[in-house]
Amino acid sequence: MSQPSDDAAARRHLRRGACVIAPLLLAAAAIYGRIISRRRWEGREPVKGYGHAFPKRAKVRSEALKGAAAKWVPFEARAHPDGPTKLWGTTQRPYPTGAWWTNLVVGGPSSTGDGLGAAEATPYAVSVLPDRGVVLSYGDLLVANASLTLGAAADLVVTMREGFEERRVEAWDDLTMTMRLEGPKKKGSRPRIDALFARGSPYVTFRVDGATPAFSSDAMIADLYAVDAPSNASGITSCAAFPACAAASLKGDCCPQPSGVAHPCCDGHLGDQGPAEVFSVSLSNGQEWRLYFSAPVALRWDGKGAAAAAEFSGIFRAALVPPDASKKHAGRNAAMLDAHAETYATSGEVRVVTDRARDPDAGTVEFRWRVSYLRSSIERVEREPALLQLALPHHVDALVADEARDE
């Protein structure tokens, strides 16, 4: 047998040496790169940001990333151009920037955290504007060949006669958010209104403390009256006595007119209504709204708006009465709203529940509501009726009965 040549032996030794030296070179390069990187970052001036806001937490994370000698995380901190403003109120970090209501504290036309945008608190689009108040929009469907657009308008605007100086988030959870409006300080306290938005609720609930609620709309208020109150129109002929007639610029006697014909505005009610707990508001755009109060109040109104006759402390709710296109069930929708107005949600939680023993691949999404009550004398069948919520048509097919209720 022949002996291997000297060249073959040399190549074999070279390959063995490369297998040993290459890993050593890679390890040395990695160690050198880490040393250079650490020196580079530790030599830089700290950038104001996370480490300045949370110095203890930043130090712990820095040490975990780079060792005990490190003083700063190896990332450059930069402030977001739209930083948190006072509109966030009591909200704690981390801010829920993906929540359904964040347009009320960020966004807006100027995109500077002014909160002038609208949030979808289905079925209403809601916004809280510094020059108007809480704006509720039900919207009209605008149909075109290539699109369906929900047009938004200020259908009902809720504010206080005292005006408000501040607005901010007071509380929030999975399904609700409360925005607080505070008026100017007087006698050591501030009038305030808390607007509680609950997703899927046909009502918007307001908690009032020492304020005078006021209402307006982009549409003209055609009529406002206390539900079940007798009409005040009998025997009065002056146009000025009827807000709807005054808004139509009618003067003199028109109920009836000199010709003997009564103007349609004479079918309305006089400007002062109540005291009562339930009011109906008719707008010139065809909408009808219901207002529910936890205690009797008197409302004064004209074509431009309405307001309570005195300060109020308690709860009131506003709800649009869904139009009945068929006209076969006139008053049915209003009656349903009346029956359930007593119960309102104060918080909501979403949970996914599974029964692995029954079906490990199936789960149920639960919406758990915490509720309270107006404690009003509104006529109803149940003292504490069930919470009334809405669902989209394609959601109804997926609803299951609540086994905890005997229904």
Side-chain angles (χ1 to χ4, degrees), residues 86-89 166-170 178-180 182:
K86 293 181 179 180
L87 296 179
W88 286 93
E166 296 182 10
R167 70 193 199 279
R168 65 179 182 273
V169 175
E170 185 65 18
T178 301
M179 178 73 84
R180 172 163 293 182
E182 285 191 334

Side-chain angles (χ1 to χ4, degrees), residues 3 32 49 59 65 74 131 133 159 174 180 216 222 224 234 258-259 270 274 294 316 320 347 359 370:
Q3 296 294 328
Y32 179 77
K59 183 178 180 181
L65 286 171
D131 59 339
T159 185
D174 294 341
R180 172 163 293 182
S216 63
L224 185 153
S234 59
S259 62
L270 298 180
S294 58
F316 77 87
L320 174 81
S347 65
D359 187 349
R370 187 183 297 268

Side-chain angles (χ1 to χ4, degrees), residues 40-119:
R40 180 180 298 172
W41 282 105
E42 291 178 355
R44 295 183 64 168
E45 289 295 326
V47 182
K48 289 185 177 182
Y50 181 89
H52 287 263
F54 307 98
K56 293 183 179 180
R57 195 180 307 172
K59 183 178 180 181
V60 171
R61 295 190 177 183
S62 297
E63 292 174 353
L65 286 171
K66 300 188 303 173
K71 296 181 179 179
W72 197 254
V73 293
F75 305 102
E76 184 173 345
R78 296 185 180 181
H80 194 279
D82 293 341
T85 66
K86 293 181 179 180
L87 296 179
W88 286 93
T90 59
T91 306
Q92 301 294 317
R93 289 179 170 88
Y95 292 111
T97 53
W100 57 270
W101 48 265
T102 49
N103 279 353
L104 303 183
V105 292
V106 299
S110 60
S111 297
T112 57
D114 47 23
L116 299 182

Side-chain angles (χ1 to χ4, degrees), residues 222 239 242-246 248 250 254-255 262-269:
C239 299
F242 297 88
C245 295
L250 298 178
C254 57
C255 298
H263 194 278
C265 66
C266 303
D267 295 333
H269 295 74

Side-chain angles (χ1 to χ4, degrees), residues 102-295:
T102 49
N103 279 353
L104 303 183
V105 292
V106 299
S110 60
S111 297
T112 57
D114 47 23
L116 299 182
E120 293 296 332
T122 313
Y124 305 106
V126 300
S127 54
V128 184
L129 306 180
D131 59 339
R132 302 201 68 176
V134 180
V135 180
L136 308 181
S137 174
Y138 186 73
D140 293 322
L141 190 62
L142 307 178
V143 181
N145 291 334
S147 65
L148 294 174
T149 304
L150 185 63
D155 294 325
L156 187 68
V157 181
V158 179
T159 185
M160 63 180 83
R161 289 184 61 185
E162 296 84 354
F164 68 94
E165 297 178 339
E166 296 182 10
R167 70 193 199 279
R168 65 179 182 273
V169 175
E170 185 65 18
W172 67 275
D173 51 48
D174 294 341
L175 298 171
T176 71
M177 191 274 273
T178 301
M179 178 73 84
R180 172 163 293 182
L181 284 68
E182 285 191 334
K185 183 178 292 187
K186 60 177 182 179
K187 297 181 181 180
S189 62
R190 284 186 166 187
R192 66 174 182 239
I193 294 180
D194 289 347
L196 197 161
F197 306 115
R199 301 203 73 182
S201 173
Y203 314 86
V204 178
T205 305
F206 299 87
R207 184 183 300 111
V208 186
D209 185 5
T212 308
F215 312 91
S216 63
S217 174
D218 282 354
M220 185 184 75
I221 297 181
D223 196 13
L224 185 153
Y225 62 92
V227 175
D228 295 332
S231 174
N232 296 331
S234 59
I236 299 177
T237 61
S238 173
C239 299
F242 297 88
C245 295
S249 301
L250 298 178
K251 299 179 180 180
D253 292 338
C254 57
C255 298
Q257 301 177 72
S259 62
V261 178
H263 194 278
C265 66
C266 303
D267 295 333
H269 295 74
L270 298 180
D272 292 346
Q273 289 291 305
E277 293 174 321
V278 185
F279 295 86
S280 176
V281 182
S282 299
L283 303 179
S284 60
N285 61 8
Q287 291 182 354
E288 179 187 355
W289 289 75
R290 275 296 214 255
L291 301 178
Y292 304 93
F293 290 83
S294 58

